[in-house]
Amino acid sequence: MIVSPEEIRLRLPHIELAAQAYGPADGSPVIALHGWLDNAATFARLAPKLQGLRIIAVDFAGHGYSQHRPPGGGYALWDYVHDVLLVAEQLGWPRFSLLGHSLGAIVSVLLAATFPERVRRLALIDGLIPPTVEADAAVATLAEALRGRLTLATKRKPVYPSLERAAQVRQRGVGHVSFAAAQLLAQRGLMPVAGGLTWRTDSRLTLATPLRLTAAQAQAFVSALSCPATLVLAEHGLLVQRDGLDTLLAQAAINIERLPGGHHLHLDDEQGAQLVADCFNPFLSAP
């Protein structure tokens, strides 16, 4: 079931973000955060199935209808965390739950760990910690990122003749989404240009990350979680492919729900969305 959410704008001190609102105004507050290169439409199937919640699904900076960071800026994880805190301030929500998919789940974990007094519950979909590197790889990681920045001006975004063609390309991208899911993401993620359509996303989002957490640092954030947390693991998702996942989860106080489907199981089809909703409805509505 796909409904038409309310489109809202969130004017933060440093940037304006777009968002979609679902549910009753007096529902339990939830901020929903999407994955890398996706947008708020990733919750189009799931959000209508979550009951009694006021869900604000945000387009991260540089994604969807949100503004891009200013010239010279970047897209570090902690900048997203800061954005979400300011979104909560603007909404007047001293405490709220977080619903995050992939990158959105990672940002949710960082926020919940560092500001435990703000986060009531943590609902995660196929995401937990960012890719990590050990300390001796930091030099090469930074060098790769800076080389990418130097050549960014010469790169051009692809142009597609139709939304359907763009959706076909997105279908084969990160997470291998269904064509129906790719269409939903493309409808919010494309803009008209000469010759057709191209992605709204900021080209800087495709650059390598200049500084990554070590595995020990990532573990510290997971270990610091104090709110109730449920993680949906997709049987054919990206998270199950991570080395050391079982060890990490064994040391974390996180409820694990293993479901069939891929990385975008909450968006690929109605059945997958319902399975995720069945996990999160009792969890997010609990006192």
Side-chain angles (χ1 to χ4, degrees):
M1 176 179 64
I2 298 176
V3 302
S4 296
E6 175 190 357
E7 293 283 346
I8 62 175
R9 304 293 298 182
L10 299 161
R11 293 176 175 83
L12 309 185
H14 63 298
I15 199 168
E16 183 172 297
L17 303 182
Q20 295 182 310
Y22 295 87
D26 60 350
S28 181
V30 177
I31 298 176
L33 305 173
H34 62 78
W36 177 63
L37 299 183
D38 286 348
N39 53 62
T42 196
F43 299 105
R45 293 190 194 276
L46 176 61
K49 294 176 170 60
L50 299 176
Q51 305 302 312
L53 307 176
R54 180 60 169 177
I55 299 172
I56 304 299
V58 178
D59 285 333
F60 275 134
H63 296 74
Y65 293 138
S66 287
Q67 288 184 340
H68 297 182
R69 303 250 188 240
Y75 290 90
L77 286 173
W78 35 89
D79 292 323
Y80 290 129
V81 174
H82 180 227
D83 290 344
V84 177
L85 284 169
L86 290 175
V87 166
E89 292 294 312
Q90 182 168 131
L91 294 171
W93 290 355
R95 276 176 60 79
F96 50 90
S97 295
L98 288 166
L99 168 60
H101 170 242
S102 195
L103 169 63
I106 295 167
V107 172
S108 296
V109 167
L110 297 186
L111 197 160
T114 50
F115 288 84
E117 72 280 5
R118 301 297 302 272
V119 180
R120 193 176 69 85
R121 289 180 174 268
L122 197 57
L124 310 173
I125 304 171
D126 215 49
L128 183 64
I129 62 171
T132 59
V133 298
E134 293 313 306
D136 59 2
V139 174
T141 299
L142 179 59
E144 179 187 1
L146 293 178
R147 280 194 292 267
R149 290 192 180 191
L150 290 173
T151 60
L152 183 64
T154 64
K155 295 182 178 180
R156 296 291 180 266
K157 291 182 180 181
V159 176
Y160 306 101
S162 66
L163 185 148
E164 288 73 20
R165 178 56 185 153
Q168 289 172 350
V169 173
R170 177 62 187 89
Q171 186 180 7
R172 300 190 297 268
V174 176
H176 301 285
V177 300
S178 69
F179 181 65
Q183 284 183 301
L184 289 169
L185 294 171
Q187 286 168 6
R188 191 171 182 85
L190 292 170
M191 64 180 182
V193 292
L197 300 165
T198 194
W199 300 107
R200 295 180 182 274
T201 45
D202 192 333
S203 297
R204 288 173 291 178
L205 291 166
T206 63
L207 295 175
T209 301
L211 182 64
R212 292 193 181 277
L213 300 179
T214 65
Q217 289 172 326
Q219 174 68 65
F221 282 99
V222 174
S223 299
L225 294 175
S226 58
C227 66
T230 290
L231 167 63
V232 166
L233 270 181
E235 181 180 3
H236 301 293
L238 299 181
L239 195 56
V240 294
Q241 303 171 24
R242 293 288 298 274
D243 293 335
L245 177 65
D246 290 339
T247 301
L248 178 64
L249 293 177
Q251 302 172 22
I254 299 175
N255 176 52
I256 307 299
E257 299 284 352
R258 298 179 185 270
L259 296 179
H263 187 55
H264 288 78
L265 74 166
H266 63 295
L267 181 64
D268 280 336
D269 54 46
E270 292 293 332
Q271 181 181 5
Q274 189 60 59
L275 289 174
V276 176
D278 290 344
C279 292
F280 287 157
N281 266 320
F283 174 70
L284 289 171
S285 62

